[in-house]
Amino acid sequence: MAQATTKDLTTLPVGRLGLIPLESCKDLGQHVNEWLIQWRHERKHPEMDSFAFEGYQRDSYTINIQTPRFGSGEGKCVISESVRGDDIYLLVDVCNYSMTYSIGKYTNLMSPDDHFQDLKRAIGAIGGKARRVNVIMPYLYEGRQSKRIGRESLDCATALHELISMGVENIITFDAHDPRIQNATPLHGFETVQPSYQFIKALLNHEEGLHIDNEHFMIISPDEGSMSRAIYLANILGVDMGMYYKRLDYSKVVNGRHPIAAYEFLGPKLAGKDVILVDDMISSGGTVLQIASLLKERGAGRIYICSTFGLFTDGLKKFDEAHEQGVFDKVLTTNLVYQSPELLERPYYINCDMSKYIALIIDTLNHDMSVSHLLNPVDRIKRCVNTYMEQYR
């Protein structure tokens, strides 16, 4: 059993646990539910039969909901059971582009806006009857529009304020594009969680012969925005880091942006070293593949692309071609967003399952206990690496 679940219970549950995975997050929610069922049936406590633990051990913590739509495309949410007094955790994947709905004879793909509206409908259906409402939104809705430059909207902050005004007490997200967005909700819970441990664990479980030391390994940030992620991993692993920054051509504007004039590398020599190229998301994948190609030109060994969210908006063809050309070795992303069947079948793809981690966070928060030991997994990463390295000594 996981370390966090073996701790003695020192607090009572905030309320009866209720898990509401929206349709966009159904598979992930099912795995989270299975972990919670297993742990709570194994857990013993002398007060387990008291009123404070009513409904603590159940066959399922999932509360079923429906989000039907009218012929006009308008929607609603219906909850199938009472949630009065429950500690509710809603899960939503705003990037699930595989879902559709009909408007007359037309079929629409659900956009992030549609998923966010369904989340608000679910909160509205709860109607303020729950003891506490928590939202787990792995990909933060409008997280890429987290700061204002000139005359433009500030969508992420606006969305967070909408959730808070509807009674949401805690918002849990993963690898926020800009963690400073939490300043938009200073009086409410907001946590941005890093999947660093899951990346290292999955990589070491699938690859052999890696030497995690300063002579053979390195962490690379593809741009200045991911420097904090690279620095964090490099410090834990005790290896060097490097980064690329984009030198823009400010004399031109193409499609509303200044084109990239060149990629400049900052860091020590990396010839012969295996590298982790870490970023928060793969959108089209053009930038990360360009950086991987430049790393190969500098003599890098094996290249592992680690990204929390694998969106692959332009498909997988360019990744297939790059892998055949030896540009990179493996791509690691999490199951926090929708994964197409084609992606899961790729030989170069490694899936990092986050369901156990989310279940740990939910279980801990339900007991109103600190999650700081879950948010900073330094000891777990070091143990994982030490166990791996002992195999090759």
Side-chain angles (χ1 to χ4, degrees):
M1 193 156 44
Q3 180 185 2
T5 65
T6 61
K7 293 185 176 182
D8 293 333
L9 296 178
T10 57
T11 60
L12 297 175
V14 172
R16 195 180 75 142
L17 178 60
L19 189 65
I20 302 181
L22 273 70
E23 189 66 26
S24 61
C25 219
K26 186 177 180 180
D27 291 340
L28 180 61
Q30 180 179 345
H31 293 308
V32 170
N33 184 48
E34 290 169 356
W35 281 112
L36 292 169
I37 293 170
Q38 175 186 332
W39 293 338
R40 296 204 168 192
H41 276 81
E42 293 174 351
R43 185 172 289 160
K44 305 297 180 184
H45 191 275
E47 300 296 325
M48 199 65 77
D49 295 328
S50 68
F51 288 117
F53 284 89
E54 184 273 327
Y56 190 81
Q57 294 178 330
R58 306 203 304 275
D59 293 332
S60 176
Y61 298 94
T62 300
I63 296 171
N64 294 318
I65 66 170
Q66 293 83 40
T67 52
R69 289 186 179 262
F70 300 98
S72 59
E74 298 166 285
K76 67 176 181 179
C77 177
V78 181
I79 298 180
S80 60
E81 60 186 271
S82 173
V83 296
R84 187 178 295 275
D86 287 1
D87 187 24
I88 298 295
Y89 293 81
L90 295 119
L91 280 74
V92 61
D93 173 14
V94 298
C95 291
N96 191 333
Y97 56 85
S98 69
M99 298 177 59
T100 62
Y101 64 94
S102 298
I103 302 181
K105 63 179 181 179
Y106 300 102
T107 299
N108 279 6
L109 288 172
M110 288 190 68
S111 70
D113 294 341
D114 293 316
H115 288 299
F116 187 69
Q117 286 299 117
D118 274 354
L119 171 64
K120 293 195 293 182
R121 291 183 180 110
I123 298 172
I126 292 171
K129 304 301 189 297
R131 178 75 55 84
R132 187 172 67 175
V133 176
N134 312 271
V135 169
I136 299 179
M137 187 189 301
Y139 183 96
L140 185 61
Y141 174 69
E142 290 290 356
R144 300 178 77 172
Q145 186 55 28
S146 58
K147 58 185 177 182
R148 176 178 287 150
I149 301 175
R151 298 184 184 93
E152 59 184 27
S153 56
L154 199 54
D155 296 77
C156 190
T158 301
L160 293 178
H161 275 272
E162 283 188 84
L163 296 180
I164 295 303
S165 67
M166 295 184 75
V168 174
E169 190 165 330
N170 293 302
I171 299 171
I172 310 295
T173 190
F174 283 78
D175 209 352
H177 194 65
D178 187 344
R180 290 173 296 182
I181 192 62
Q182 64 187 298
N183 294 334
T185 59
L187 302 180
H188 292 79
F190 183 98
E191 299 290 349
T192 176
V193 187
Q194 298 291 333
S196 306
Y197 170 67
Q198 284 74 19
F199 282 145
I200 298 300
K201 181 180 178 181
L203 177 61
L204 299 185
N205 283 341
H206 286 82
E207 293 293 288
E208 298 180 354
L210 294 174
H211 298 281
I212 314 295
D213 57 47
N214 204 34
E215 299 297 322
H216 304 90
F217 210 79
M218 197 168 174
I219 309 296
I220 300 293
S221 169
D223 53 37
E224 60 274 18
S226 287
M227 272 191 64
S228 60
R229 302 176 183 90
I231 291 172
Y232 179 77
L233 273 179
N235 285 337
I236 295 175
L237 300 178
V239 300
D240 281 331
M241 71 149 289
M243 68 159 287
Y244 278 88
Y245 76 90
K246 304 171 186 176
R247 183 157 53 83
L248 303 180
D249 183 355
Y250 286 99
S251 65
K252 303 176 182 177
V253 176
V254 179
N255 294 328
R257 295 183 178 184
H258 298 293
I260 298 171
Y263 290 96
E264 305 289 353
F265 179 73
L266 298 176
K269 292 182 179 180
L270 54 78
K273 292 184 179 181
D274 298 328
V275 303
I276 288 179
L277 182 57
V278 62
D279 205 355
D280 62 334
M281 74 177 70
I282 297 174
S283 184
S284 65
T287 298
V288 74
L289 290 178
Q290 176 67 25
I291 298 299
S293 179
L294 294 173
L295 290 172
K296 277 296 182 183
E297 293 177 5
R298 288 181 171 270
R302 288 174 284 188
I303 296 178
Y304 302 101
I305 300 172
C306 295
S307 179
T308 306
F309 306 108
L311 305 180
F312 302 101
T313 55
D314 285 354
L316 298 171
K317 183 178 179 180
K318 64 175 65 175
F319 283 87
D320 295 339
E321 294 173 350
H323 184 256
E324 291 175 2
Q325 297 168 5
V327 173
F328 69 92
D329 290 79
K330 299 287 184 181
V331 172
L332 295 84
T333 70
T334 70
N335 61 339
L336 294 172
V337 294
Y338 171 72
Q339 299 165 301
S340 68
E342 294 78 16
L343 175 64
L344 296 173
E345 293 172 356
R346 291 300 193 269
Y348 54 79
Y349 179 69
I350 298 176
N351 177 33
C352 302
D353 183 15
M354 300 297 294
S355 59
K356 186 176 182 180
Y357 197 13
I358 293 175
L360 279 171
I361 293 172
I362 291 175
D363 194 30
T364 304
L365 287 176
N366 182 237
H367 280 273
D368 214 14
M369 297 174 66
S370 172
V371 294
S372 58
H373 65 288
L374 299 176
L375 303 182
N376 191 19
V378 174
D379 293 338
R380 282 178 287 160
I381 293 176
K382 289 184 175 180
R383 281 198 306 269
C384 185
V385 172
N386 291 337
T387 301
Y388 178 85
M389 295 297 290
E390 287 175 359
Q391 303 176 30
Y392 301 99
R393 289 176 182 171

